[in-house]
C-alpha cells in the first residue's frame, strides 16, 4: 500500500493575532507535482512553513507520509525535504559544510549520489568551498535545493525555488524533479509564480487567495487547458481569481 | 498637491533618505515594541539617579585630574568609531538599496552623526550632574571641552583610515576560517561543521576592535597614573581579567546565537536536541576549558593558593553554566 505524501486537513495558521490561512484542505499523492499559486501575501509561504514544521498551526492537522507532524514531528520530518529560503542559509559556513550538516541532521550515512550528480549538473561543485554569504542569490538557491533533496524524501517542498536560477540550471532542476516524480519516488509541492512550470511540468495546481484554496486544477483539467490555447492556463487562473475576488 | 506622497515627515528630512530611514527605523521599532518606551524611561530614571549621586561626581573629578588619559581614550574611541563609520558608509554607497538614488551621498554627515549624538549625550550627562551639584560646573565644562576636542582629533585621524576602501566581499567573513574539507564528508556526513560556525561567530564577536575597547574601558576606569605603582598593576590586572571574561562570555553568547540561527535552518530535519547541542557547544566548551586552564596556570605564579582554589571553582561553575545554557538553547531551537 502506498502512503500519501501530504495530507493537510482544516488548517488554520497565522502570526500573533493575524490569521493568514483559514480552512486549508490539500492532498498531494505519490508521483504528483502540485503547484501552489497565488498573488503575493496570499499565504503560500505560510502554508509551506506549516508543512515544514517551522510554524505551528493554530488548528488542523498535517500528515507527511502518514505521519502526523504534530504527534510525531521527527517521523514526519524524516520523510520531508524542504528547501529553505536562500537567506536562511548560514553565511559563515561553506556549501560543503551546509550539505554535510544537513545530511547528518537527517541521519544519513552518506550524501546521495543523485544529489552530488545534480550539484555537478548545476555547476555548483567548484563553489562547494565558498562561504555562503559571498555567493550570489542563484548559487545560494542551488545549495538550498540540494539540501532539500537530500535523503530521498517522500515529499519535497519548495518555495519559489526557481528564483535566481539561470535558465540552464532551472531546466536541469525541472527535469530532475520530473524524473523523481515520474518514477514514483516522491511528491513535489512547489509554490511558484512561474506559469511555465504549471503548464509543462505540474500534475495539479491549487490557487490560494486570501488564505483559502480558491480553485484547484486536476491533471485532466491541466491537460485540457494545455491543449485548448496558447495562454490556456494563465487565462483560466485569471478567471478563477476574478471570480473569487 | 496631486501626486504628492502623504507624509508627516518634514521636507528637509525626506530630501535626506539615509537620515529618514534611520529615523523611521527607530520610530517603527518603538511602534512594534511599545514596551521599549517603558524600558527606556526606567533606564533614564536610573541613569539620572546615578549621575546625580555624589559618588558619580567624585568619579568625574577623578577623571578631570587624569584628563590626559581621558583625552587619549576619547580620541582613540572617536578614531575607531570614525574608521568603522567610514567603512560602513563606503559599503552602503556600494550595496545599500538607496545607493542608486540620484542624491548627494552626504558621507561626512553620515560619518559624524553617531559621534555628534554621543557628544550630545555626554553633554547632557555632565549638565545634569553639574545642575544637581554632584560635580562642580567648572569641572563639567572643562571635561566636556576635553571630550569635544578629543572627539574632533579622533575624527580627523579616523578619516585618514584606509579601512573599507579595498575591503571586498562580505563584512565579517574574514573572521571565519575555511577548513580543509574532510575527505569523507560525502560518505560519512557529520554535524561537526556546526562547531566551526559557533567558533566563527565568536571570532566576529571578539574581533580586536571589541576587545580593545573593553580593555581600554577597564584601563580608564582605574585611575592608574604612569608611575607603575600598585594602582597601575591593579588597572592592568583588571583589564586582563576583563579580556578573559569577555572572551569566555563571548564564546558562550556565540554558541547561543548559533543555536538559534542553526535551529531556524534545521527545523525541517529530524535532528535531535542532544546531538545538536553537542555539535554547537563542543568546540566552544573545549576552547573555554583550555582558556581557563591556561589562565589558572599563569596565575599560579603570582596569586596565593586560596585565590587559585576559588578561581578554579568559579571556572568550573562557569563552564557548567555555559554548557547548561547551550543545551537549553539547543533544545528550544530544534523543536
Amino acid at each position: 500500500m502506498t502512503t500519501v505524501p501530504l495530507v493537510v486537513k482544516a488548517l488554520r495558521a497565522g502570526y500573533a493575532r493575524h490569521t493568514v490561512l483559514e480552512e486549508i484542505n490539500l492532498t498531494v499523492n505519490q508521483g504528483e507535482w502540485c503547484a501552489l499559486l497565488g498573488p503575493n501575501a496570499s499565504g503560500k509561504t505560510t502554508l509551506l512553513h506549516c508543512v515544514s514544521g517551522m510554524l505551528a498551526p493554530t488548528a488542523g492537522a498535517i500528515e507527511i507520509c502518514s505521519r502526523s507532524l504534530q504527534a510525531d514531528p521527527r517521523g514526519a520530518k524524516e520523510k520531508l525535504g524542504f528547501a529553505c529560503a536562500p537567506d536562511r542559509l548560514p553565511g559563515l559556513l561553506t556549501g560543503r559544510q551546509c550539505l554535510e550538516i544537513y545530511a547528518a541532521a537527517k541521519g544519513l550515512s552518506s550524501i546521495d549520489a543523485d544529489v552530488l550528480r545534480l550539484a555537478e549538473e548545476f555547476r555548483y561543485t567548484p563553489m562547494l568551498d565558498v562561504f555562503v554569504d559571498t555567493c550570489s542569490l542563484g548559487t545560494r538557491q542551488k545549495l538550498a535545493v540540494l539540501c532539500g533533496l537530500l535523503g530521498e524524501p517522500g515529499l519535497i517542498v519548495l518555495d519559489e525555488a526557481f528564483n535566481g536560477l539561470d535558465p540552464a540550471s532551472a531546466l536541469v532542476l525541472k527535469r530532475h524533479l520530473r524524473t523523481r516524480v515520474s518514477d514514483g519516488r516522491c511528491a513535489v509541492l512547489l509554490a511558484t509564480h512561474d506559469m511555465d512550470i504549471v503548464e509543462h511540468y505540474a500534475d495539479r495546481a491549487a490557487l490560494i487567495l486570501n488564505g483559502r484554496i480558491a480553485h484547484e486544477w486536476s491533471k485532466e483539467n491541466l491537460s485540457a487547458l494545455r491543449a485548448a490555447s496558447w495562454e490556456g492556463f494563465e487565462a483560466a487562473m485569471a478567471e478563477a481569481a476574478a471570480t473569487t475576488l | 498637491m496631486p501626486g504628492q506622497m502623504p507624509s508627516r515627515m518634514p521636507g528637509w528630512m525626506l530630501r535626506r533618505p539615509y537620515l529618514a530611514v534611520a529615523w523611521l527605523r527607530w520610530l517603527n521599532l518603538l511602534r512594534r515594541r511599545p514596551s521599549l518606551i517603558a524600558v527606556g524611561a526606567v533606564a533614564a530614571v536610573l541613569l539620572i539617579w546615578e549621575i546625580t549621586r555624589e559618588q558619580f561626581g567624585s568619579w568625574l573629578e577623578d577623571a578631570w585630574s587624569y584628563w590626559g588619559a581621558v583625552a587619549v581614550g576619547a580620541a582613540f574611541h572617536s578614531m575607531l568609531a570614525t574608521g568603522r563609520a567610514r567603512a560602513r558608509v563606503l559599503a552602503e554607497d556600494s550595496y545599500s538599496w538607496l545607493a542608486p538614488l540620484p542624491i548627494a551621498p552626504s558621507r561626512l554627515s553620515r560619518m559624524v552623526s553617531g559621534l555628534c549624538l554621543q557628544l550630545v549625550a555626554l553633554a547632557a550627562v555632565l549638565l545634569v550632574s553639574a545642575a544637581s551639584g554632584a560635580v562642580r560646573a567648572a569641572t563639567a565644562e572643562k571635561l566636556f571641552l576635553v571630550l569635544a576636542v578629543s572627539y574632533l582629533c579622533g575624527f580627523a585621524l579616523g578619516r585618514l583610515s584606509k579601512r573599507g576602501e579595498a575591503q571586498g566581499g562580505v563584512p565579517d567573513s574574514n573572521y571565519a576560517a575555511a577548513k580543509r574539507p574532510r575527505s569523507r564528508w560525502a560518505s560519512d556526513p557529520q554535524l561537526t561543521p556546526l562547531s566551526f560556525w559557533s567558533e566563527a561567530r565568536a571570532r566576529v564577536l571578539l574581533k580586536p576592535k571589541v576587545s580593545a575597547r573593553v580593555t581600554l574601558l577597564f584601563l580608564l576606569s582605574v585611575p592608574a597614573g604612569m608611575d607603575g605603582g600598585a594602582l597601575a598593576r591593579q588597572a592592568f590586572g583588571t583589564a586582563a581579567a576583563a579580556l578573559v571574561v569577555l572572551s569566555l562570555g563571548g564564546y558562550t553568547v556565540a554558541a547561543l546565537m548559533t543555536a538559534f540561527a542553526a535551529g531556524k535552518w534545521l527545523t525541517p530535519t529530524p535532528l535531535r536536541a542532544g546531538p545538536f547541542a553537542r555539535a554547537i557547544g563542543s568546540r566552544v566548551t573545549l576552547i573555554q576549558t583550555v582558556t581557563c586552564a591556561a589562565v589558572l596556570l599563569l596565575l599560579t605564579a603570582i596569586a596565593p593558593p586560596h585565590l587559585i582554589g576559588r578561581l578554579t571553582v568559579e571556572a568550573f561553575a562557569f563552564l557548567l553554566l555555559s554548557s547548561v545554557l547551550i543545551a537549553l538553547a539547543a533544545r528550544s531551537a530544534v523543536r
Side-chain angles (χ1 to χ4, degrees):
Chain A
M1 197 183 80
T2 55
T3 56
V4 183
L6 177 66
V7 178
V8 178
K9 289 180 197 159
L11 187 81
R12 191 195 314 144
Y15 304 95
R17 280 168 291 180
H18 175 55
T19 302
V20 177
L21 297 174
E22 193 79 69
E23 203 61 31
I24 296 278
N25 291 290
L26 182 71
T27 302
V28 184
N29 296 307
Q30 191 75 18
E32 199 171 60
W33 181 330
C34 179
L36 211 53
L37 305 162
N40 301 134
S42 57
K44 300 186 297 296
T45 298
T46 305
L47 175 57
L48 298 194
H49 280 185
C50 288
V51 170
S52 64
M54 293 161 83
L55 178 68
T58 46
I62 297 170
E63 280 181 17
I64 297 171
C65 297
S66 307
R67 296 172 189 192
S68 164
L69 191 61
Q70 286 91 340
D72 178 17
R74 283 215 169 81
K77 286 175 183 180
E78 277 168 11
K79 298 289 177 187
L80 171 76
F82 179 75
C84 68
D87 58 2
R88 286 212 170 190
L89 289 169
L92 293 174
L93 293 185
T94 63
R96 195 190 301 272
Q97 290 174 329
C98 290
L99 281 172
E100 188 180 356
I101 291 169
Y102 225 72
K106 284 189 164 187
L108 304 180
S109 59
S110 65
I111 291 182
D112 320 32
D114 212 13
V115 172
L116 292 175
R117 208 176 312 119
L118 181 62
E120 198 68 51
E121 289 178 44
F122 270 161
R123 283 164 293 152
Y124 179 71
T125 314
M127 307 289 286
L128 274 172
D129 291 316
V130 173
F131 283 115
V132 168
D133 59 6
T134 57
C135 292
S136 68
L137 169 68
T139 308
R140 276 182 282 155
Q141 188 69 269
K142 288 175 188 173
L143 177 59
V145 168
L146 291 171
C147 286
L149 295 178
L150 283 168
E152 200 62 34
L155 173 70
I156 296 171
V157 178
L158 305 168
D159 190 2
E160 301 186 23
F162 291 88
N163 282 3
L165 291 189
D166 60 85
S169 301
L171 183 63
V172 164
L173 180 58
K174 286 171 196 170
R175 284 179 176 163
H176 182 91
L177 291 173
R178 190 64 251 174
T179 307
R180 280 195 184 221
V181 169
S182 300
D183 293 349
R185 288 157 62 190
C186 66
V188 171
L189 177 64
L190 167 79
T192 185
H193 296 293
D194 194 342
M195 291 297 119
D196 161 62
I197 293 171
V198 186
E199 292 192 344
H200 298 107
Y201 294 90
D203 299 305
R204 275 178 55 208
L207 173 68
I208 294 192
L209 289 174
N210 299 329
R212 290 171 187 270
I213 293 188
H215 199 88
E216 281 189 76
W217 290 270
S218 66
K219 196 170 186 172
E220 293 72 32
N221 294 150
L222 286 179
S223 302
L225 287 167
R226 274 171 206 146
S229 70
W230 183 66
E231 57 173 17
F233 182 75
E234 217 167 341
M237 197 186 75
E239 193 182 320
T243 313
T244 311
L245 292 171
Chain B
M1 205 167 92
Q4 193 173 2
M5 291 268 288
S7 173
R8 275 181 291 178
M9 286 175 76
W12 64 267
M13 194 183 261
L14 281 172
R15 282 191 294 278
R16 289 165 179 80
Y18 285 98
L19 181 66
V21 167
W23 169 247
L24 285 174
R25 265 191 196 145
W26 275 103
L27 214 58
N28 290 345
L29 180 70
L30 295 178
R31 277 185 190 147
R32 288 175 67 175
R33 298 186 181 179
S35 57
L36 284 178
I37 297 173
V39 172
V42 171
V45 169
L46 286 175
L47 182 70
I48 290 171
W49 174 75
E50 174 62 32
I51 62 180
T52 50
R53 283 170 65 211
E54 270 184 30
Q55 179 68 49
F56 186 80
S58 74
W59 286 341
L60 290 180
E61 297 287 356
D62 285 345
W64 171 242
S65 55
Y66 294 100
W67 65 269
V70 172
V72 170
F76 184 62
H77 161 75
S78 167
M79 186 183 75
L80 287 178
T82 306
R84 191 173 60 163
R86 187 168 182 276
R88 195 197 65 233
V89 164
L90 286 177
E92 273 178 2
D93 284 351
S94 312
Y95 298 113
S96 167
W97 63 290
L98 299 171
L101 285 175
I103 48 164
S106 63
R107 281 184 189 153
L108 187 68
S109 60
R110 278 150 65 203
M111 263 192 269
V112 83
S113 55
L115 289 177
C116 285
L117 282 176
Q118 285 179 25
L119 265 182
V120 168
L122 286 169
V125 165
L126 290 170
L127 190 70
V128 172
S129 196
S132 69
V135 68
R136 283 177 297 151
T139 308
E141 264 174 40
K142 283 184 279 189
L143 258 181
F144 180 73
L145 200 66
V146 166
L147 286 170
V149 171
S150 308
Y151 264 51
L152 200 64
C153 294
F155 178 73
L157 288 172
R159 280 206 70 190
L160 297 175
S161 150
K162 296 286 175 208
R163 188 180 159 188
E165 276 183 1
Q167 196 176 329
V170 178
D172 293 335
S173 266
N174 51 325
Y175 290 100
K179 298 284 170 187
R180 203 175 55 184
R182 275 190 319 122
S183 57
R184 297 182 64 209
W185 74 276
S187 57
D188 178 27
Q190 292 179 3
L191 290 171
T192 38
L194 277 176
S195 62
F196 296 123
W197 187 359
S198 304
E199 193 190 346
R201 203 178 267 266
R203 283 186 192 166
V204 172
L205 284 179
L206 300 170
K207 48 190 161 187
K209 175 178 67 192
V210 178
S211 315
R213 282 186 182 175
V214 172
T215 316
L216 189 71
L217 191 73
F218 277 86
L219 273 173
L220 290 175
S221 70
V222 183
M226 302 300 285
D227 60 351
L231 272 175
R233 286 202 298 277
Q234 190 186 342
F236 286 119
T238 310
L243 264 185
V244 172
V245 170
L246 177 78
S247 162
L248 293 175
Y251 272 95
T252 302
V253 170
L256 297 179
M257 287 166 75
T258 306
F260 288 110
K264 277 184 194 165
W265 173 50
L266 295 170
T267 298
T269 69
L271 179 63
R272 290 176 189 278
F276 180 56
R278 272 200 299 280
I280 292 282
S282 57
R283 203 170 173 81
V284 160
T285 309
L286 181 69
I287 291 170
Q288 288 174 327
T289 309
V290 170
T291 308
C292 288
V295 169
L296 287 170
L297 193 69
L298 290 172
L299 277 177
T300 49
I302 52 165
H306 73 272
L307 185 63
I308 299 289
R310 208 187 80 194
L311 286 175
T312 307
V313 172
E314 283 174 1
F316 271 114
F318 170 79
L319 290 172
L320 186 69
L321 180 69
S322 169
S323 305
V324 169
L325 283 176
I326 293 169
L328 288 175
R331 196 175 162 180
S332 76
V334 286
R335 293 181 299 271

